[in-house]
Amino acid sequence: KQEVTQIPAALSVPEGENLVLNCSFTDSAIYNLQWFRQDPGKGLTSLLLIQSSQREQTSGRLNASLDKSSGRSTLYIAASQPGDSATYLCAVHGGGGSEKLVFGKGTKLTVNP
Amino acid sequence: NAGVMQNPRHLVRRRGQEARLRCSPVKGHSHVYWYRQLPEEGLKFMVYLQKENIIDESGMPKERFSAEFPKEGPSILRIQQVVRGDSAAYFCASSQQGPANYGYTFGSGTRLTVV
């Protein structure tokens, strides 16, 4: 059974700081890994999708890395802004004998002005 | 090109009533997934459907819950005789030709409150 863990559960930083969110998964036989953002009471916005054959993906101030063999991914946010405040969710597709997308519980990020 | 459309956004039902949640996938997407998010919990898979077929319903409660994705029209998640524990946000996602290469696109969700 695939399990996804995100650390830390919550993070509070001052504006302008660079930060790293961590995601680990138990079964490395994944197809891909996706990072999402969820604002309170809202849906999920896809940030980055990393295929199992890729090592990293970048979009603007966001960079996500994937180390499939060790079951880890990181989301790096450069020069954080108050508008980045949200819950960030990591999800893996595949592994554990499943075709499902399995989510971590998320990291709640607060960026203070 | 509209994204995944879910309606209603908010739904209030009394205990024992039925709830019907609708999801229109991204145009051209033939794979639909339903997830449930309980308060302070992560998103949990419920069911995976392709047009007219249920592919994986391993996350669906055995009773009161059903889902369909007809040849024409939106996917429907139906909850009969709702109870307070069904109060949650229900999210629909779609993908093109399976999510292995293309990832998932999520809707804004339906927030069900059972009173």
Side-chain angles (χ1 to χ4, degrees), chain B residues 4 10-11 15 20 36 64 78 80 84 97:
Chain B
V4 174
H10 300 275
L11 182 61
R15 280 178 294 172
R20 291 172 70 90
R36 178 164 66 173
R64 301 188 297 109
R78 182 182 179 204
Q80 294 178 292
R84 289 239 171 95
Q97 297 178 14

Side-chain angles (χ1 to χ4, degrees), chain B residues 6 14 16-17 22-24 26 30 37 39 51 56 73 83 87 103 109 112:
Chain B
Q6 289 188 250
R14 296 187 186 279
Q17 290 185 319
R22 287 176 291 278
C23 168
S24 296
V26 174
S30 58
Q37 187 175 38
K51 284 286 187 181
D56 181 351
V83 301
S87 295
L112 172 66

Side-chain angles (χ1 to χ4, degrees), chain A residues 70-89:
Chain A
S70 67
R72 294 179 190 277
S73 175
T74 62
L75 178 67
Y76 175 81
I77 303 177
S80 57
Q81 302 171 359
D84 295 330
S85 298
T87 296
Y88 290 80
L89 298 167

Side-chain angles (χ1 to χ4, degrees), chain B residues 23-25 51 69-75:
Chain B
C23 168
S24 296
K51 284 286 187 181
F69 187 19
K71 186 176 180 180
E72 300 292 337
S75 175

Side-chain angles (χ1 to χ4, degrees), chain B residues 54-74:
Chain B
I54 296 174
I55 307 302
D56 181 351
E57 58 181 348
S58 59
M60 289 277 271
K62 294 288 185 254
E63 297 178 348
R64 301 188 297 109
F65 285 72
S66 62
E68 63 176 8
F69 187 19
K71 186 176 180 180
E72 300 292 337

Side-chain angles (χ1 to χ4, degrees), chain A residues 32 38 41-42 51 100-101, chain B residues 35 37 45 99-101 111:
Chain A
N32 55 51
Q38 185 175 28
K42 304 291 185 183
Q51 302 297 342
K100 298 186 274 286
L101 191 66
Chain B
Y35 284 77
Q37 187 175 38
F45 169 81
N101 292 315
R111 280 150 186 85

